[in-house]
Amino acid sequence: MRLTGAQALIKSLEMQGVEVIFGLPGGAILPVYDPILDSTIRHILVRHEQGAGHMAEGYAHVTGRPGVAMVTSGPGATNIVTPLADAAMDSVPLVVVTGQVATTAIGTDAFQECPITGVTMDITKHNWLVTDARDIPRVVAEAFHVATTGRPGPVLIDVPKDVSNSQMDWYWPSSLDDLDLPGYRPRTEGDPSAIRAAAELILRAERPVIYAGGGILKARAADALREFAERTGVPVVTTLMARGAFPDSHPLCLGMPGMHGNYTAVTAMQHADLLVALGSRFDDRVTGKVSAFAPEAKVIHVDIDPAELGKVRRADVAIAGDCRIVIEEIVEALGTLGLESGGSAGSGTTAADRPDLAPWKAQLSEWQQRFPLTYRQEEGGALKPQLVVEALRDSTPDDTIVVAGVGQHQMWASQYWRFEHPYTWVNSGGAGTMGFAVPAAIGAKVGRPDKMVWAIDGDGCFQMTAQELVTASAERIPVKIAILNNAYLGMVRQWQELFYEERYSEVYLSPDLPDYVKWAEAMGCIGMRVETAEEVAPAIEKANSVDDRPVVIDFRTDAFEKVYPMVPSGASNDDIIVGPSEGEGGR
Amino acid sequence: MAPSSIGGPGGPVGVRHHIVTVTVENKAGVLARVAGLFSRRGFNIFSLAVAPTDDERFSRITIVVDVESAPLEQIIRQLDKLVNVVAISELAPEEATERELLLATVEAGPDERGQVIQLVGVFEGRIVDVGREAITIMLAGAPNKIDDFENLIRPFGIVELQRTGRVALPKLERRTTRLRTIAGGAGEDGAG
C-alpha cells in the first residue's frame, strides 16, 4: 500500500491505539493535518501549543497511556518546550510530533525553522528527526516504546514537510526486534541478592518509613505498595508526585513530606532508622538540606532509573527495577523470612525476632495529634483558601480528579484534599510549571470523561493558560476551575514576607483585573464569584450540577494566608516551622 | 576548571581522570547528545576523541573525564540513559593503553633546526614538513610522553600545536572494567 509520509504518520498513531491528539496546525505540519480528517483519532484544537502539551500530560497522568500532541515548526515547536521539560521532570509519557521545514531548507534559516531536536535534546528522553518517509512507522513505534517503558518520559518526532509529502510503502513493525534501538534496554526486575538484603533490613528496623514517590504510580504499583505496607506495618509518606498512591485515610498513611509537608511526615523521615524509598528521587524539596536529611536512616532505594540510585543520597541497598515488580519481590522475600500476610511472623523465623514497631507508631501518633495541619477561618473574616479546598473535597465524589497549578494553592490542595485513589492527583511537581492546571485538567477530563475533574488554580497561574477554556467550551469538555484568588503571586509573596523583610517586589496582581467571571463567560464557561465562607458550598454545589460546559469559580481568598508547615529553603528538615505563631516571620 | 570545560593538553590529568569509552550509534547528532549530557550535568571533560569503529553502524567516543567533578558511576549511568549509547566501558589509567597524537609547528631556523630534529629523534617522532624558519613535527605516544615532548620543544617557540585527545584500549593482561560489573546489582542494563 502506497501512502504519503503524512498518511503513514497518522496510520502509525492509529496502530499505537492513540485515541486523541491535542494540537494546532501550521505550515510545516499541514500535510499531516489532512489525513486527520479521515482518521478515527479525535483531534482537539488548542489555542496555544503549550496548552496541547499540558493537555497531553494531564491525559497521560490519569490514563497511564502516552499523551500525544502535534504542532507545527518554529514557534509552534518552541511553544511546546515547557510541557516537554515538565514531562521530563515528572516522568510523564508524552509523544510530541512537530512539523519541520523541508529537508532541503534545513539549516537555511527558513521561515518558521527551528532546530527543535537540538532545543529539546536535554528535556526529552529521546527525539528523532525523520529524514525519510520510509522510517516513519518504525520511528513512531520506537517513540512510543521509549516514552512508555523504563522510566517514562517525553519524546519528540520532528517531521520535515517534504518527508510528509513523499511516498512510502506501508508496513508496521510487528515486534520489538523490528525497532532500531540497540542501546535501549530498560531493566525491570530487581537483583535477587539485593532484594533479600532489603527484606532483612526491613525486619531489623525499629523506626522504618516508606518514602513513596511518583514511581509508584508510573509502575502501577499502588496495590503492591499497600500489600507491602500492611504486611510490614511500616508507615508511608507520599510525596507530592505520589499523592493518591496510598490512601490518605489508611492508618499507616502519614501524608506528604517535604518543604510544605506535614510535621509528622517530615519528622518521621528525620527520625527514621530506615527509609524505604520507592520510586522517589530525594528531591531537594523533600530532603531540605541533604547533609542533615534523615541522618540516622539506612536507605533502601528502588528506582527503575539506575542513575537515580546514589545520585543524591547513598543507598545501603540500591535496587534498579520496576517498582511494582521489586515490591512484589521484596514481599515474597519477607515471606521467605517468615513474615506472613497480615504481618504475623512464623515462630523461629527471622521475622519472629523483629523489633516491636509499637513505640515508633506511638511516637508518630503523638506527633499527629500535637501537630495537625491547621488554619483558622475567622467569623466574617477573609475567606481562607484551605476552607475552599476542604469544601471542594467534602462535596465531590472521592474519586474526583484534582489538578493544580504551581504555588500556594497547589500546596493547600495537596495538604487538605484527601486522596483515596491513585491517578486522582495531577500536578506539576519537578518543573513547577505555572499555568499547568487549566490545560492539564482538560486533558485529564478527556482521558477520564467518567470522572469529575476539578482544577484548583491560583490567579497568577490561571492568567497564564486560561485561554484553553475556549478549547474546553468548543470541545464540550466540562472541567471545573476553582481559582483561589488572593490577588498575588502568593508563594513569591510569602517568601518576600518571610525572607525579604516584607519588601514586596512585583507580586501584586489585583483581585478584579481581569474580571474572572466576565472572562469565564466570554470563553463560554459559567462564571461565579465567591467572597464569603457561607457562599462556598452552594457555589460548589451549583458547579457540580453543570455537565455541559466548563465552570469557573473566582474564590476571593485571604491574601495574607501562608502555607505552613514550612522548611525554609536550604534549611534542615529539623528546622520545620509549624505555623505563623512560631517566631518572627518564622525565623 | 569550570564545569564541563574541556581541559587543555597537558592539563592536570592524573589519578582523578578516568577513560570512558562509549560505543554509540553512528547517527546524526549523537556527539551533541553526549557532549550536551556532560554540559547539563556539570561533568568535566579533559579530552574527547571520536571515530568510527570496525562496524560501520557504530562509533566510539573516548572521553577522559574528571571524576572529581562527579562520581564516575553517576557519569556512566547518565550516559547509559542516552538511547543512542550502546555500550560503555570504563578504564582506570593503570588499566589502559593510551595513545595520543600531536602535530606541532615549531620555530626552527638554521641554528636551532639540528637541536629540534635531535629531540624528535629521541622521542621517535617524525618531521612531516620543513620550512625556512619552522618545521612541523608529528609525534604519537603515551600522553605523558607527549606532555614531556611538548615541554621540551616549547622553548624553541611553538607556532601552532594540535593534540588529538587520547584514545585507549584495555591493557591485555588486565580485564576491562565494564559498567555491567562496576554498577553491581544496581546498574545492570540502563533504563532509558
Side-chain angles (χ1 to χ4, degrees):
Chain A
M1 175 171 51
R2 293 288 281 176
L3 294 182
T4 64
Q7 290 166 331
L9 178 56
I10 294 302
K11 192 169 172 63
S12 298
L13 295 177
E14 289 172 352
M15 295 298 288
Q16 285 290 349
V18 173
E19 56 177 22
V20 59
I21 298 171
F22 303 93
L24 194 145
I29 196 75
L30 257 173
V32 187
Y33 266 82
D34 187 74
I36 283 180
L37 288 172
D38 307 317
S39 172
T40 55
I41 299 174
R42 177 183 183 190
H43 182 275
I44 290 177
L45 176 62
V46 301
R47 267 48 177 179
H48 186 289
E49 291 91 347
Q50 184 188 357
H54 292 321
M55 285 178 204
E57 285 189 272
Y59 176 90
H61 270 286
V62 299
T63 63
R65 296 195 294 273
V68 180
M70 191 153 75
V71 297
T72 194
S73 64
T78 56
N79 277 345
I80 209 160
V81 165
T82 298
L84 286 168
D86 189 278
M89 287 291 257
D90 288 347
S91 307
V92 183
L94 213 62
V95 177
V96 171
V97 178
T98 48
Q100 182 55 278
V101 300
T103 50
T104 48
I106 287 177
T108 67
D109 303 318
F111 177 66
Q112 290 190 335
E113 181 185 357
C114 170
I116 198 65
T117 50
V119 170
T120 60
M121 199 171 268
D122 285 344
I123 52 166
T124 51
K125 190 171 166 184
H126 194 58
N127 61 28
W128 290 259
L129 170 64
V130 182
T131 53
D132 187 328
R134 289 174 296 185
D135 294 339
I136 285 175
R138 195 196 77 238
V139 167
V140 170
E142 288 172 1
F144 277 79
H145 180 60
V146 170
T148 55
T149 54
R151 180 179 184 168
V155 298
L156 179 142
I157 307 171
D158 199 22
V159 187
K161 193 170 186 178
D162 56 335
V163 173
S164 301
N165 279 330
S166 64
Q167 299 274 317
M168 56 85 71
D169 286 314
W170 169 254
Y171 66 96
W172 181 244
S174 52
S175 81
L176 292 181
D177 295 336
D178 296 331
L179 306 185
D180 183 21
L181 295 169
Y184 184 70
R185 308 162 302 270
R187 176 196 169 101
T188 53
E189 281 164 40
D191 171 45
S193 64
I195 298 283
R196 188 179 166 96
E200 286 170 354
L201 270 186
I202 291 162
L203 292 179
R204 281 205 296 273
E206 293 174 10
R207 302 183 307 280
V209 173
I210 295 169
Y211 162 27
I216 294 285
L217 294 169
K218 298 303 185 306
R220 310 203 87 72
D223 290 343
L225 170 63
R226 188 166 178 155
E227 162 65 18
F228 174 54
E230 287 176 351
R231 186 181 287 219
T232 57
V234 176
V236 181
V237 300
T238 51
T239 68
L240 181 66
M241 291 310 297
R243 304 290 289 131
F246 192 72
D248 278 337
S249 61
H250 196 287
L252 289 170
C253 192
L254 303 181
M256 183 176 75
M259 182 176 266
H260 293 296
N262 73 75
Y263 181 90
T264 305
V266 171
T267 309
M269 293 176 91
Q270 285 305 91
H271 289 247
D273 68 347
L274 176 68
L275 289 180
V276 186
L278 303 173
S280 47
R281 59 182 178 86
F282 295 84
D283 180 77
D284 57 277
R285 285 310 196 249
V286 168
T287 62
K289 187 178 173 185
V290 174
S291 60
F293 174 66
E296 289 161 41
K298 284 192 177 341
V299 171
I300 298 168
H301 194 177
V302 180
D303 204 291
I304 189 119
D305 179 356
E308 289 301 340
L309 306 173
K311 186 182 83 176
V312 175
R313 169 78 176 242
R314 194 189 70 82
D316 296 274
V317 178
I319 305 173
D322 174 89
C323 262
R324 186 181 59 76
I325 294 171
V326 173
I327 292 170
E328 287 169 359
E329 288 170 336
I330 292 175
V331 168
E332 199 184 317
L334 288 165
T336 311
L337 294 170
L339 190 71
E340 286 157 16
S341 180
S344 57
S347 64
T349 63
T350 311
D353 297 332
R354 191 179 176 208
D356 183 8
L357 299 185
W360 176 231
K361 289 188 185 167
Q363 172 70 81
L364 297 173
S365 301
E366 195 229 326
W367 285 334
Q368 283 175 321
Q369 276 161 27
R370 262 175 65 202
F371 302 108
L373 290 171
T374 56
Y375 70 95
R376 196 165 62 206
Q377 176 66 57
E378 305 277 358
E379 188 103 18
L383 177 61
K384 295 293 181 183
Q386 299 96 323
L387 181 141
V388 176
V389 175
E390 289 189 320
L392 281 165
R393 174 195 72 195
D394 293 342
S395 49
T396 50
D398 78 352
D399 66 348
T400 297
I401 292 168
V402 189
V403 187
V406 169
Q408 288 182 311
H409 69 274
Q410 173 192 28
M411 293 297 109
W412 286 317
S414 176
Q415 289 176 335
Y416 286 89
W417 200 270
R418 205 175 177 83
F419 294 97
E420 297 299 330
H421 303 282
Y423 315 109
T424 57
W425 169 240
V426 180
N427 89 131
S428 166
T433 305
M434 285 181 66
F436 178 81
V438 168
I442 294 167
K445 183 70 180 172
V446 170
R448 294 307 304 264
D450 54 319
K451 293 200 177 187
M452 187 176 282
V453 176
W454 268 99
I456 296 176
D457 212 2
D459 47 322
C461 279
F462 183 81
Q463 289 188 56
M464 288 195 175
T465 50
Q467 81 285 342
E468 296 308 335
L469 286 171
V470 177
T471 306
S473 291
E475 296 276 347
R476 301 262 170 227
I477 303 163
V479 291
K480 306 178 201 307
I481 318 289
I483 306 172
L484 304 184
N485 176 6
N486 61 3
Y488 276 97
L489 297 169
M491 188 60 95
V492 185
R493 201 208 69 88
Q494 173 168 341
W495 283 52
Q496 290 178 346
E497 178 181 333
L498 296 179
F499 308 124
Y500 290 84
E501 297 163 336
E502 300 182 51
R503 285 162 55 84
Y504 297 117
S505 177
E506 304 297 326
V507 287
Y508 180 67
L509 293 176
S510 160
D512 303 306
L513 184 66
D515 181 325
Y516 293 99
V517 172
K518 283 186 185 162
W519 192 8
E521 286 168 353
M523 292 188 289
C525 312
I526 290 171
M528 288 183 264
R529 180 164 294 127
V530 169
E531 287 170 294
T532 65
E534 295 69 44
E535 298 166 348
V536 171
I540 294 170
E541 203 172 309
K542 186 177 167 198
N544 285 344
S545 69
V546 176
D547 205 29
D548 63 344
R549 73 195 67 189
V551 183
V552 176
I553 308 180
D554 171 18
F555 291 98
R556 298 292 179 88
T557 60
D558 185 354
F560 303 104
E561 189 65 16
K562 289 183 283 297
V563 182
Y564 285 111
M566 177 173 195
V567 178
S569 184
S572 161
N573 281 353
D574 290 331
D575 300 330
I576 183 168
I577 302 161
V578 179
S581 58
E582 205 181 283
E584 182 62 32
R587 284 203 123 169
Chain B
M1 191 180 296
S4 76
S5 63
I6 294 182
V13 176
V15 287
R16 49 184 253 195
H17 88 275
H18 270 245
I19 304 149
V20 178
T21 308
V22 188
T23 306
V24 298
E25 289 183 78
N26 214 347
K27 288 181 177 167
V30 174
L31 180 60
R33 291 178 198 275
V34 172
L37 173 70
F38 275 77
S39 162
R40 173 164 61 108
R41 298 274 175 191
F43 305 154
N44 285 358
I45 299 175
F46 278 116
S47 74
L48 184 147
V50 195
T53 63
D54 48 0
D55 184 336
E56 65 179 15
R57 292 173 300 161
F58 305 113
S59 285
R60 185 161 293 130
I61 305 179
T62 306
I63 311 169
V64 181
V65 297
D66 175 2
V67 291
E68 280 187 1
S69 69
L72 181 66
E73 196 170 71
Q74 178 64 199
I75 295 173
I76 289 175
R77 286 176 178 177
Q78 293 291 355
L79 273 171
D80 202 35
K81 283 166 69 170
L82 294 178
V83 168
N84 295 130
V85 168
V86 177
I88 303 169
S89 57
E90 180 269 325
L91 292 167
E94 65 275 12
E95 295 174 322
T97 297
E98 303 175 66
R99 288 296 178 269
E100 192 171 355
L101 179 73
L102 167 145
L103 281 177
T105 298
V106 182
E107 285 176 26
D111 294 346
E112 297 90 23
R113 195 174 287 157
Q115 294 173 57
V116 174
I117 290 170
Q118 198 176 12
L119 214 46
V120 172
V122 170
F123 278 81
E124 297 174 320
R126 280 169 57 190
I127 308 291
V128 290
D129 199 8
V130 182
R132 269 195 295 279
E133 296 298 329
I135 59 177
T136 298
I137 302 157
M138 179 188 82
L139 178 66
N144 57 351
K145 180 179 158 185
I146 306 273
D147 292 345
D148 291 345
F149 181 73
E150 190 184 324
N151 288 332
L152 286 165
I153 58 167
R154 194 170 289 282
F156 295 98
I158 290 171
V159 181
E160 276 190 281
L161 184 143
Q162 181 93 50
R163 290 173 67 159
T164 56
R166 63 193 70 192
V167 291
L169 287 174
K171 278 187 182 163
L172 291 179
E173 66 270 29
R174 293 168 196 261
R175 279 209 345 244
T176 308
T177 310
R178 287 185 182 280
L179 170 68
R180 311 291 168 245
T181 51
I182 63 155
E188 300 176 26
D189 286 15

